[in-house]
Amino acid sequence: MAIDFTLRPDHRALQQTARGFARTELADVAAAIAPLATPEERFDALRPFYANAVECGLLRTLVDDGLVGAALMTEELAAVDVNVAATLVADLLAVTPLFGAPAPEPAGRVLATLRVASGAPLAAPAFGEGDAEPVARRDGDGDGWILRGWQHDVANGYGWHGQGATVYVVAARVAGGGQVVVVVPGRAPGLHITGARDTAGHRAAVAPRIHFDEVRVAADDVVALPGEGERLLARASVVAAALVGAMAAGVARAAFDSALAHARKNAGLEEQAVGYLLVDIKARIEAIRSLTWRACAEVERTGDRASELAVASKVFASETAVQAVWDAMRVVGAEACSTHLPFAQLLADAAAYPLLHGSNLSVGRRHLHGLLRAEGYDALASLDGGAPAPAPVAVAV
């Protein structure tokens, strides 16, 4: 079979739509959030831009068009603004455990909230590899559950104006072992939002702590019970890893475009040192994109059997993007540190990716190391997606 990275017509159309939207609708995000003092204010300032994305059908497409389409869209948005891109990706990550869930009713209700043509619905993934996780216990003798405890760094968890996300998809530990996956409405009694942190990169993407104080979950809001929940969460981890490459490619691309424009304007492009650096940056972007597309295609085809490619692409793309932005700054020189140019912010945005969505050191490389140590590991299996399905890994969203 021929190796072919030619995009299908519908994928090409999606890419062009996302690129046009980003360049026309997201170009003003940086100026809109720059004067605002707190991460909460900056997140609220994203609402009109996000609502425009919903109206243009990008959220609906992101949920329904598969992982390759999501990667194409994410790169185009992140090349202009990482904040709206991260907010939309968080929606997708939140609902990823719902696809193929054994309880289709709650999954269908949540997905319907994101398939709207207007408004600004938010889904929040309340699961991750952080140092906190809520605990679930049975609600009496029924099929409902009660949640108690914390979940840290919940993307989209703040909601517009602090009112909470439209819906939270929550993973909670069960005393007997395993995790239950449930749906919690944004204004559920006992759900409290606190502790949003200001960050150097992704300035408007707020990820607060969520406190579950005896939050009751009805039986018809249970997505998966222990045993099945781990499988769904493992897939969410793989999807998160695969999409980091698309975001990293977008940031690296923005740095390359700005450095190339600066070199042309200032006649620096004629210098061999400048030209060679730009060539290296462009090659890195192509490598990030190619590995990301391949990882996303394999995840679509095989599910979490492609975890090696997905996690490897996350580690490679996130760290390579940091080097690409840094080299773009070297092209420009000392002026690249000035705030009137985008490079310092791009570097802060890129530096977050090796740490977020599962730290490369504590999650990504640990997972890959585990695969290498497994008896019968075949280093060539990833060539055709034939690697054995891994055990569930720490979910990193």
Side-chain angles (χ1 to χ4, degrees), residues 2-25:
I3 297 174
D4 190 357
F5 281 88
T6 303
L7 296 179
R8 301 191 319 239
D10 59 319
H11 278 156
R12 176 66 68 187
L14 172 60
Q15 184 185 56
Q16 294 299 322
T17 297
R19 183 176 301 168
F21 175 86
R23 291 178 175 178
T24 58
E25 301 292 339

Side-chain angles (χ1 to χ4, degrees), residues 36-114:
L36 303 177
T38 68
E40 294 89 347
E41 289 176 301
R42 292 191 289 270
F43 183 75
D44 288 337
L46 295 183
R47 194 182 192 283
F49 301 100
Y50 180 89
N52 287 343
V54 173
E55 188 173 344
C56 288
L58 296 185
L59 177 57
R60 185 169 61 252
T61 300
L62 190 69
V63 171
D64 290 335
D65 212 47
L67 195 53
V68 172
L72 296 173
M73 181 190 303
T74 299
E75 178 184 335
E76 296 302 329
L77 300 181
V80 179
D81 172 66
V82 298
N83 301 288
V84 173
T87 304
L88 287 164
V89 166
D91 289 324
L92 176 58
L93 297 182
V95 301
T96 295
L98 306 182
F99 295 108
E105 250 187 70
R109 290 199 308 271
V110 174
L111 291 170
T113 66
L114 302 184

Side-chain angles (χ1 to χ4, degrees), residues 21 26 45 70 257 305:
F21 175 86
L26 300 185
D257 290 345
R305 289 173 62 87

